[in-house]
Amino acid sequence: MSLETLPKEETLRLREQHIGKSCTLFFKDDPLKIVKGDGQYMYDEIGTKYLDCINNVAHVGHCNPHVTRAAARQMSLIYTNSRYLHDAMVIYAKRLTQYFPENLSVCYFVNSGSEANDLALRLARAHTKHKDVIAVDSAYHGHLTSIVEISPYKFENIKGHKKKNWVHIAPLPCNYRGKFNKDKYDDDEVIGKLYANEVAKLIENAHEKGRAIAAFISESMLSCGGQVIPPKGYLKEVYRLVREAGGVCIADEVQVGFGRIGSSMWAFQHPNNDVVPDIVTLGKPIGNGHPVACVVTTPEVAASFEALGAEYFNTYGGNPCSMAIANAVLDVIEKENLLKNAANVGSFLIESLEKLADKYQVIGNVRGCGLFIGVELVRERTSKRPAGHLAEWVVRRFRDERIIMSTEGKYSNVLKFKPPMTFNMEDAQNWITVFTSIMKQIETEEVSSSSSSSASTSSVDSLFSSCEELA
């Protein structure tokens, strides 16, 4: 039986039989079977069209014609390992590094963001001769064993897992819900400084125990933490502290790079950050879904790694097909001016969402820039009690309207928005229209959705309760 004719029920049966139970699906009670993509849209097995608002992997759009042609053309010529000379790799490395500060000029190509972050740790330790790593609470940097150890988003949910003594976790620098927030402090720079002081304490405690810091690693904007933009000056001060302690600074741009924030190619260049890392990791959007990723670093760090004596060899990292695809993705970003699109559409969305937040009390906070946006839902604004189950209900209502959304954050109460960069103004207007209708439904306390509850509710409390029963 061909895949095209496999009934959805049979797909589910075979998945249940042969795929590990830890491999989860969106909409577990009724998962989508997606068989086709086109730009910012995806289609299920019966042809239903969905607007994709979360797939930051298909950066320049699902099945982008220019990218798929480049892949097919190269695969028809040669698809081999990276120990042979090939123009595509060096051309791409030259193009890519032109987007970085001058000293970030050396590339290592790998297969995934997880591999990129693993290699970044090796580079940092080779250069500093230290071991310890400072990461941020709620961070996710990948699924390799070495990277799970510095990903609280993952290891905090592993039964019996104990944080390693070489790992130090800094508070999530969130100016809405975090330890230091806008309710207590008016100045975002003050908040940034206070969070940076927490990193200073970690460094001091490590030194008191005879340990030494190899690296600080953080996404330049924190996605799994709930679509968080660091407070102004936070990363700059943390980078200074870490370097003074003999460590290096790693910027994880796997989810937020390649122009997603609209104002610049990399999120570390955002005005709140304005830093130059020692190592940058890239993945996901670099190949528009093809397994390719990259570590970009300085000649000095690269020389320290080379001095260890062992060669670095990655069979598929930087193979001709991957590099042809990566070059094609850059072509589309440049020729279609996708940074400007992200800036314009993102500004419209944030402005519209802020207006909705003025009206609907369940919208506790709107944050983000470009096509990286988070909407935090709360039970009520004074306590900021997270409304995780309500957020899940909202996601299901979006699905009813043929829009794919998801949640993020420690309490799963943040609606995350990271669509393909081809998401346009018409899509944004449609999204706002649907979200407004969902907010009105919550406000009028009339919930009788076929995908949520079987009866209408009569109060906000019962609405939250009914959502909890569904989650």
Side-chain angles (χ1 to χ4, degrees), residues 105-409:
S105 58
V106 180
C107 298
Y108 295 87
F109 292 105
V110 295
N111 302 310
S112 68
S114 296
E115 277 196 353
N117 283 322
D118 177 80
L119 179 56
L121 288 190
R122 292 178 62 189
L123 291 169
R125 286 167 170 163
H127 188 65
T128 64
K129 307 299 187 291
H130 301 161
K131 181 178 182 179
D132 288 26
V133 176
I134 299 173
V136 176
D137 191 23
S138 298
Y140 173 64
H141 296 291
H143 61 79
L144 299 183
T145 299
S146 61
I147 303 305
V148 168
E149 300 292 0
I150 59 169
S151 297
Y153 179 81
K154 284 294 181 186
F155 73 62
E156 287 181 350
N157 294 308
I158 299 174
K159 293 178 181 178
H161 183 278
K162 293 183 179 180
K163 182 178 70 66
K164 298 296 185 287
N165 57 9
W166 54 268
V167 177
H168 311 277
I169 303 301
L172 177 70
C174 177
N175 62 15
Y176 171 69
R177 180 179 292 283
K179 183 176 183 179
F180 309 107
N181 58 64
K182 290 180 179 178
D183 293 340
K184 300 176 182 177
Y185 306 94
D186 293 332
D187 192 330
D188 202 47
E189 288 193 59
V190 170
I191 295 174
K193 178 70 173 176
L194 289 168
Y195 276 117
N197 287 344
E198 297 294 302
V199 176
K201 293 175 186 177
L202 291 176
I203 294 171
E204 182 180 353
N205 290 339
H207 287 174
E208 287 175 355
K209 295 174 182 177
R211 309 194 67 86
I213 303 300
F216 167 78
I217 183 169
S218 176
E219 289 183 285
S220 306
M221 291 184 182
L222 300 114
S223 34
C224 288
Q227 307 291 92
V228 174
I229 299 179
K232 188 171 179 59
Y234 168 76
L235 279 184
K236 183 164 282 190
E237 178 64 7
V238 169
Y239 276 29
R240 183 187 70 79
L241 291 166
V242 169
R243 285 167 174 157
E244 282 185 359
V248 297
C249 300
I250 303 169
D252 182 335
E253 294 269 340
V254 170
Q255 299 210 55
V256 293
F258 288 94
R260 175 157 297 279
I261 69 169
S263 59
S264 57
M265 192 67 159
W266 314 114
F268 68 74
Q269 296 167 322
H270 185 273
N272 270 30
N273 297 330
D274 190 25
V275 292
V276 178
D278 302 294
I279 303 169
V280 182
T281 58
L282 309 173
K284 294 185 189 300
I286 190 173
N288 212 51
H290 184 84
V292 56
C294 183
V295 178
V296 182
T297 191
T298 67
E300 294 79 13
V301 171
S304 296
F305 189 53
E306 292 158 16
L308 293 179
E311 67 173 359
Y312 180 75
F313 169 53
N314 189 307
T315 301
Y316 302 111
N319 71 79
C321 187
S322 294
M323 293 295 92
I325 289 170
N327 271 296
V329 170
L330 267 189
D331 290 343
V332 178
I333 292 172
E334 293 167 353
K335 291 176 181 177
E336 297 187 10
N337 207 356
L338 292 183
L339 273 72
K340 183 178 181 180
N341 180 68
N344 292 342
V345 176
S347 293
F348 166 79
L349 283 167
I350 291 171
E351 182 180 342
S352 300
L353 284 165
E354 287 174 344
K355 289 178 182 177
L356 289 174
D358 290 338
K359 186 174 181 180
Y360 299 106
Q361 293 298 301
V362 294
I363 301 176
N365 187 239
V366 174
R367 51 185 179 258
C369 57
L371 294 179
F372 178 85
I373 298 172
V375 182
E376 181 151 357
L377 302 186
V378 296
R379 291 190 173 215
E380 53 88 24
R381 287 185 174 175
T382 303
S383 69
K384 301 181 184 177
R385 189 177 177 188
H389 300 306
L390 177 66
E392 177 63 24
W393 180 85
V394 170
V395 166
R396 296 182 190 196
R397 283 291 296 113
F398 266 116
R399 176 180 165 168
D400 292 342
E401 301 297 329
R402 306 295 184 256
I403 295 175
I404 299 176
M405 287 289 295
S406 187
T407 60
E408 202 57 274

